[in-house]
Amino acid sequence: MAESPESVERTIEISGAEPLLLFGFNDVYLRRIEAAFADTRLVARGDRLKLKGPSDQVDQIERVIGELVVILNRNGNLTENDVDTILDLARVGTGLQRRGGQDAILFTPQGGTIKAKTPGQARLVESARQSDIAFAVGPAGTGKTYTAVALAVSALKSRQVKKIVLTRPAVEAGESLGFLPGGFRDKVDPYLRPLYDALEDMIDSEKLRSYLERNIVEIVPLAYMRGRTLNTSFVILDEAQNATGGQMKMFLTRLGAGSRAIVTGDATQTDLPARAQSGLVQARSILEGVDGIAFVDFSKEDVVRHKLVKDIIEAYEKAGTGS
């Protein structure tokens, strides 16, 4: 290996985990990590791991090992999928390239790859890794919801969480779904359809049906979250600009042990009554700077829909109106 001037050597001691389970049989997991960071060498000796390579990659490998220890302690074992998922998230956050040049968040049943396509999406991935609650705020078409759902599915597949809960305010119905025709699913589907669409891209249809039946994946209107406590869950509040301040507080206080949340929304597109303040706007003024909570701003430069969407957003900004 040709060492660069910033090459370092570091030895870390593995504590709180069985090295054989962490490194894999015949160090198979270590070899996967080493292959992902091409300029590094990893050598295991008992409960000690020697790292040699560029300092930034050594730092990242140490974080990867730490996250794998957490998963091992939670589940009692590691799988190749666990290792690949953590490596994929690490690559997106640092710009390190996956084999084939892809920064993967998740691999789809069709053999495709979901990855961060814009700087805003990459910042959301990194913030979601480092913070228990991340707010993704910005215009439509920037992939906020899609990226959030991909992160949730990745966490479920790697067994970092036991369930996914996706929710949106049904504000057009005033959350009074009883006045709408049809059964419960008929009433809420129009408001939750975008979440179903994202999930159907990421999870095999039979498995998704099983997840929904067993409430491993749950999609509910925000009004139905009241009074619940969600443990070891990945929770997403979409279209959060349409949540009131009280609803936002209610949602955020549903989080239990081992849970994470992403809140997405566009503060310029609220459908709330004129006198009601958006809970998304209020949350930022109250919570920005709180440890463990991150705010990620998306801009028109992050738009991944039709090229005209970016021009439309810019035109509305020039006109001084967002609704």
Side-chain angles (χ1 to χ4, degrees), residues 89-275:
L89 291 174
R91 292 185 192 94
V92 172
T94 62
L96 295 171
Q97 294 297 304
R98 180 179 173 82
R99 291 180 298 276
Q102 295 178 321
D103 297 325
I105 301 172
L106 183 71
F107 299 100
T108 68
Q110 298 77 27
T113 306
I114 297 172
K115 57 183 179 177
K117 296 180 178 179
T118 70
Q121 291 179 14
R123 289 194 302 272
L124 176 57
V125 171
E126 182 66 12
S127 295
R129 290 181 61 245
Q130 296 180 350
S131 305
D132 288 336
I133 300 174
F135 285 79
V137 184
T142 50
K144 303 182 299 297
T145 300
Y146 200 81
T147 303
V149 174
L151 286 165
V153 173
S154 177
L156 181 67
K157 287 187 172 183
S158 64
R159 296 183 295 175
Q160 297 175 53
V161 297
K162 294 181 179 178
K163 73 178 298 180
I164 296 172
V165 179
L166 309 176
T167 185
R168 296 179 107 185
V171 69
E172 294 90 342
E175 297 281 9
S176 300
L177 299 173
F179 291 101
L180 295 178
F184 176 81
R185 181 59 59 86
D186 297 323
K187 295 175 183 179
V188 302
D189 263 4
Y191 307 101
L192 305 177
R193 188 69 245 173
L195 301 176
Y196 284 105
D197 290 343
L199 286 169
E200 287 168 356
D201 281 353
M202 302 174 194
I203 303 176
D204 175 79
S205 57
E206 289 296 322
K207 183 170 287 187
L208 177 57
R209 186 179 301 112
S210 173
Y211 282 166
L212 290 167
E213 289 173 353
R214 293 183 289 152
N215 278 334
I216 293 174
V217 174
E218 191 176 356
I219 308 178
V220 295
L222 182 58
Y224 288 77
M225 295 285 287
R226 195 172 301 279
R228 302 182 61 183
T229 299
L230 301 170
N231 295 317
T232 324
S233 301
F234 202 118
V235 193
I236 296 174
L237 171 57
D238 192 37
E239 298 288 340
Q241 73 275 3
N242 290 328
T244 65
Q247 288 173 327
M248 179 64 74
K249 180 181 177 182
M250 178 271 291
F251 170 80
L252 295 174
T253 54
R254 298 309 92 203
L255 293 185
S259 288
R260 299 149 63 184
I262 295 180
V263 178
T264 72
D266 177 0
T268 69
Q269 293 290 324
T270 179
D271 294 316
L272 291 169
R275 287 176 294 178

Side-chain angles (χ1 to χ4, degrees), residues 27-164:
D27 292 341
V28 63
Y29 298 155
L30 281 188
R31 300 289 73 83
R32 294 177 90 88
I33 297 171
E34 190 175 57
F37 298 86
D39 298 325
T40 63
R41 293 293 178 266
L42 284 68
V43 179
R45 292 288 184 269
D47 62 354
R48 293 178 181 274
L49 180 62
K50 183 177 180 180
L51 313 176
K52 185 177 181 180
S55 58
D56 58 339
Q57 293 193 24
V58 168
D59 289 343
Q60 190 65 19
I61 290 171
E62 191 166 0
R63 286 194 290 270
V64 166
I65 293 294
E67 293 189 29
L68 291 175
V69 167
V70 171
I71 295 173
L72 174 58
N73 287 334
R74 179 184 298 141
N75 301 327
N77 71 306
L78 283 179
T79 67
E80 290 185 3
N81 187 59
D82 294 333
V83 178
D84 286 344
T85 298
I86 294 301
L87 287 173
D88 289 333
L89 291 174
R91 292 185 192 94
V92 172
T94 62
L96 295 171
Q97 294 297 304
R98 180 179 173 82
R99 291 180 298 276
Q102 295 178 321
D103 297 325
I105 301 172
L106 183 71
F107 299 100
T108 68
Q110 298 77 27
T113 306
I114 297 172
K115 57 183 179 177
K117 296 180 178 179
T118 70
Q121 291 179 14
R123 289 194 302 272
L124 176 57
V125 171
E126 182 66 12
S127 295
R129 290 181 61 245
Q130 296 180 350
S131 305
D132 288 336
I133 300 174
F135 285 79
V137 184
T142 50
K144 303 182 299 297
T145 300
Y146 200 81
T147 303
V149 174
L151 286 165
V153 173
S154 177
L156 181 67
K157 287 187 172 183
S158 64
R159 296 183 295 175
Q160 297 175 53
V161 297
K162 294 181 179 178
K163 73 178 298 180
I164 296 172

